[in-house]
Coordinates of all heavy atoms in Angstrom, one line a residue:
G12 N 131.6 29.7 94.3 CA 130.5 29.8 95.3 C 129.2 29.7 94.6 O 128.2 29.2 95.2
C13 N 129.1 30.2 93.4 CA 127.8 30.2 92.7 C 127.7 29.0 91.7 O 126.7 28.8 91.0 CB 127.5 31.5 92.0 SG 127.3 32.9 93.1
G14 N 128.8 28.3 91.6 CA 128.9 27.1 90.7 C 128.7 27.5 89.3 O 128.0 26.8 88.5
E15 N 129.2 28.7 88.9 CA 129.0 29.2 87.5 C 130.3 29.7 86.9 O 130.9 30.7 87.3 CB 128.0 30.4 87.6 CG 127.7 31.0 86.3 CD 126.7 32.2 86.4 OE1 126.4 32.6 87.6 OE2 126.3 32.8 85.4
F16 N 130.8 28.9 86.0 CA 132.1 29.2 85.3 C 131.8 30.3 84.2 O 131.4 30.0 83.1 CB 132.7 28.0 84.7 CG 134.0 28.3 84.0 CD1 135.1 28.7 84.7 CD2 134.2 28.1 82.6 CE1 136.3 28.9 84.1 CE2 135.4 28.4 82.0 CZ 136.5 28.8 82.7
S17 N 131.9 31.5 84.6 CA 131.5 32.6 83.7 C 132.2 33.9 84.2 O 132.6 34.1 85.3 CB 130.0 32.8 83.8 OG 129.6 34.1 83.3
H18 N 132.3 34.8 83.2 CA 132.9 36.1 83.5 C 131.9 37.0 84.3 O 132.3 38.0 84.8 CB 133.3 36.8 82.2 CG 134.5 36.2 81.5 ND1 135.7 36.2 82.0 CD2 134.5 35.4 80.4 CE1 136.5 35.5 81.2 NE2 135.8 35.0 80.2
T19 N 130.7 36.6 84.3 CA 129.6 37.3 85.1 C 129.0 36.3 86.1 O 127.8 36.3 86.3 CB 128.5 37.8 84.1 OG1 128.0 36.7 83.4 CG2 129.1 38.9 83.2
A20 N 129.9 35.6 86.8 CA 129.4 34.6 87.8 C 128.7 35.4 88.9 O 129.0 36.5 89.2 CB 130.6 33.9 88.4
C21 N 127.7 34.7 89.4 CA 126.8 35.3 90.5 C 126.0 36.5 90.0 O 125.5 37.3 90.8 CB 127.6 35.7 91.7 SG 128.4 34.3 92.5
G22 N 125.9 36.6 88.7 CA 125.1 37.7 88.1 C 125.8 39.1 88.2 O 125.2 40.1 88.0
R23 N 127.1 39.1 88.5 CA 127.9 40.3 88.6 C 128.6 40.7 87.3 O 129.1 39.8 86.7 CB 128.9 40.2 89.8 CG 128.2 40.1 91.1 CD 129.3 40.0 92.2 NE 128.7 40.1 93.5 CZ 128.9 39.3 94.6 NH1 129.7 38.3 94.4 NH2 128.3 39.5 95.7
E24 N 128.6 41.9 87.0 CA 129.3 42.4 85.8 C 130.8 42.0 85.9 O 131.3 41.9 87.0 CB 129.1 43.9 85.6 CG 127.7 44.3 85.3 CD 127.2 43.8 84.0 OE1 128.0 43.4 83.1 OE2 126.0 43.8 83.8
F25 N 131.4 41.9 84.8 CA 132.9 41.6 84.7 C 133.7 42.6 85.6 O 134.6 42.2 86.3 CB 133.3 41.6 83.3 CG 134.8 41.9 83.1 CD1 135.8 41.0 83.6 CD2 135.2 43.0 82.5 CE1 137.1 41.3 83.4 CE2 136.5 43.3 82.3 CZ 137.5 42.4 82.7
T26 N 133.3 43.8 85.6 CA 134.0 44.9 86.3 C 133.7 45.0 87.8 O 134.4 45.8 88.5 CB 133.7 46.2 85.6 OG1 132.3 46.5 85.7 CG2 134.2 46.3 84.2
Y27 N 132.8 44.2 88.3 CA 132.3 44.3 89.6 C 133.4 44.3 90.7 O 133.6 45.3 91.4 CB 131.3 43.3 90.0 CG 130.8 43.4 91.4 CD1 129.7 44.2 91.7 CD2 131.3 42.6 92.4 CE1 129.3 44.3 93.0 CE2 130.8 42.6 93.7 CZ 129.8 43.5 94.0 OH 129.3 43.6 95.3
W28 N 134.2 43.2 90.7 CA 135.3 43.1 91.7 C 136.4 44.1 91.4 O 137.1 44.5 92.4 CB 135.7 41.7 91.8 CG 134.7 40.8 92.5 CD1 134.0 39.8 92.0 CD2 134.3 41.0 93.9 NE1 133.2 39.3 93.0 CE2 133.3 40.0 94.1 CE3 134.6 41.8 94.9 CZ2 132.7 39.8 95.4 CZ3 134.0 41.7 96.2 CH2 133.0 40.7 96.4
L29 N 136.7 44.4 90.2 CA 137.8 45.3 89.9 C 137.4 46.7 90.5 O 138.3 47.4 91.0 CB 137.9 45.5 88.3 CG 138.5 44.3 87.6 CD1 138.2 44.3 86.1 CD2 140.0 44.2 87.8
E30 N 136.2 47.0 90.5 CA 135.7 48.3 91.1 C 135.6 48.2 92.6 O 136.1 49.1 93.3 CB 134.4 48.7 90.5 CG 134.5 49.0 89.0 CD 133.1 49.2 88.3 OE1 132.1 48.7 88.9 OE2 133.1 49.7 87.2
Q31 N 135.0 47.1 93.1 CA 134.8 47.0 94.5 C 136.2 46.9 95.3 O 136.3 47.4 96.4 CB 134.0 45.7 94.8 CG 132.6 45.8 94.4 CD 131.8 46.8 95.2 OE1 131.9 46.8 96.4 NE2 131.1 47.7 94.5
D32 N 137.2 46.3 94.6 CA 138.5 46.1 95.3 C 139.4 47.3 95.0 O 140.6 47.2 95.4 CB 139.1 44.8 94.9 CG 138.3 43.6 95.5 OD1 137.8 43.8 96.6 OD2 138.3 42.6 94.8
G33 N 138.9 48.3 94.4 CA 139.7 49.6 94.3 C 140.6 49.7 93.1 O 141.3 50.7 93.0
Y34 N 140.6 48.8 92.1 CA 141.5 49.0 91.0 C 140.9 50.0 90.0 O 141.6 50.9 89.5 CB 141.7 47.7 90.2 CG 142.9 47.9 89.2 CD1 144.2 47.8 89.6 CD2 142.6 48.1 87.8 CE1 145.2 48.0 88.7 CE2 143.6 48.3 86.9 CZ 144.9 48.2 87.3 OH 145.9 48.4 86.4
G35 N 139.6 49.9 89.7 CA 138.9 50.9 88.9 C 138.3 51.9 89.7 O 137.2 51.7 90.3
K36 N 138.9 53.0 89.9 CA 138.4 54.1 90.8 C 137.5 55.0 90.1 O 137.8 55.4 88.9 CB 139.6 54.8 91.4 CG 140.5 53.9 92.3 CD 141.6 54.6 92.9 CE 142.5 53.7 93.8 NZ 143.6 54.4 94.4
P37 N 136.5 55.5 90.7 CA 135.6 56.5 90.1 C 136.4 57.7 89.6 O 137.2 58.3 90.3 CB 134.6 56.9 91.2 CG 134.7 55.7 92.2 CD 136.1 55.2 92.1
G38 N 136.1 58.1 88.4 CA 136.7 59.3 87.8 C 138.1 59.0 87.2 O 138.7 59.8 86.6
G39 N 138.5 57.7 87.3 CA 139.9 57.4 86.8 C 139.8 56.8 85.4 O 138.7 56.6 84.8
C40 N 140.9 56.6 84.8 CA 141.0 56.1 83.5 C 141.9 54.8 83.6 O 143.0 54.8 84.0 CB 141.7 57.1 82.5 SG 141.9 56.5 80.8
W41 N 141.3 53.7 83.2 CA 141.9 52.4 83.4 C 141.4 51.3 82.4 O 140.4 51.5 81.8 CB 141.8 51.9 84.9 CG 140.3 51.8 85.3 CD1 139.5 52.8 85.7 CD2 139.6 50.6 85.4 NE1 138.3 52.3 86.1 CE2 138.3 50.9 85.9 CE3 139.9 49.2 85.2 CZ2 137.3 50.0 86.2 CZ3 138.9 48.3 85.5 CH2 137.6 48.6 85.9
G42 N 142.2 50.3 82.3 CA 141.7 49.2 81.5 C 142.1 47.8 82.1 O 143.0 47.8 83.0
A43 N 141.4 46.8 81.8 CA 141.6 45.5 82.4 C 141.3 44.4 81.5 O 140.5 44.5 80.5 CB 140.9 45.4 83.7
G44 N 141.9 43.2 81.7 CA 141.5 42.0 80.9 C 141.5 40.9 81.9 O 142.1 40.9 83.0
E45 N 140.8 39.8 81.5 CA 140.5 38.7 82.4 C 140.7 37.4 81.7 O 140.1 37.2 80.6 CB 139.2 38.8 83.1 CG 138.8 37.6 84.0 CD 137.4 37.7 84.5 OE1 137.3 38.4 85.6 OE2 136.4 37.2 83.9
N46 N 141.5 36.5 82.2 CA 141.5 35.1 81.8 C 141.0 34.2 82.9 O 141.4 34.4 84.1 CB 143.0 34.6 81.5 CG 143.5 35.2 80.2 OD1 142.7 35.8 79.4 ND2 144.7 34.9 79.9
I47 N 140.2 33.2 82.6 CA 139.7 32.3 83.6 C 139.8 30.9 83.1 O 139.8 30.6 81.9 CB 138.2 32.6 84.1 CG1 137.3 32.4 82.9 CG2 138.1 34.0 84.6 CD1 135.8 32.6 83.3
A48 N 140.0 30.0 84.0 CA 140.1 28.6 83.7 C 139.9 27.7 84.9 O 140.0 28.2 86.1 CB 141.5 28.3 83.1
W49 N 139.5 26.4 84.7 CA 139.5 25.5 85.8 C 139.8 24.1 85.4 O 139.6 23.8 84.2 CB 138.2 25.6 86.6 CG 137.0 24.9 85.9 CD1 136.1 25.5 85.0 CD2 136.5 23.6 86.1 NE1 135.2 24.7 84.6 CE2 135.3 23.5 85.3 CE3 136.8 22.6 86.9 CZ2 134.6 22.3 85.2 CZ3 136.1 21.4 86.8 CH2 135.0 21.3 86.0
G50 N 140.4 23.4 86.3 CA 140.8 22.0 85.9 C 140.9 21.2 87.2 O 140.9 21.7 88.3
T51 N 140.9 19.8 87.0 CA 141.0 18.9 88.1 C 142.3 18.1 87.9 O 142.8 17.9 86.8 CB 139.8 18.0 88.2 OG1 139.8 17.2 87.0 CG2 138.5 18.8 88.3
G52 N 142.8 17.5 89.0 CA 144.0 16.7 88.9 C 145.2 17.5 88.4 O 145.3 18.6 88.6
E53 N 146.0 16.8 87.6 CA 147.1 17.4 87.0 C 146.8 18.5 86.0 O 147.6 19.4 85.7 CB 148.0 16.4 86.3 CG 147.4 15.7 85.1 CD 148.3 14.6 84.6 OE1 149.2 14.2 85.2 OE2 148.0 14.1 83.4
L54 N 145.5 18.5 85.5 CA 145.1 19.5 84.6 C 144.8 20.8 85.3 O 144.5 21.9 84.6 CB 143.9 19.1 83.7 CG 144.2 17.9 82.7 CD1 143.0 17.6 81.9 CD2 145.4 18.3 81.8
G55 N 144.7 20.8 86.6 CA 144.5 22.1 87.3 C 145.7 22.7 87.9 O 145.7 23.7 88.5

């Protein structure tokens, strides 16, 4: 959507969607990792 291949796409911190979608809950103890990639044709 923002045309930005980045862990902080759209200027949002890496943890933004993890928190917004409920995985990282306030007061909880949790950890996360992220892999991203993009490709076209057979490489995608």
Side-chain angles (χ1 to χ4, degrees):
C13 292
E15 183 181 2
F16 182 66
S17 166
H18 294 289
T19 56
C21 299
R23 294 181 171 130
E24 296 293 342
F25 155 65
T26 56
Y27 178 82
W28 286 114
L29 291 161
E30 295 167 343
Q31 290 295 312
D32 291 328
Y34 190 80
K36 298 180 179 179
C40 180
W41 56 284
E45 177 180 275
N46 283 357
I47 64 177
W49 72 275
T51 64
E53 63 183 16
L54 292 183

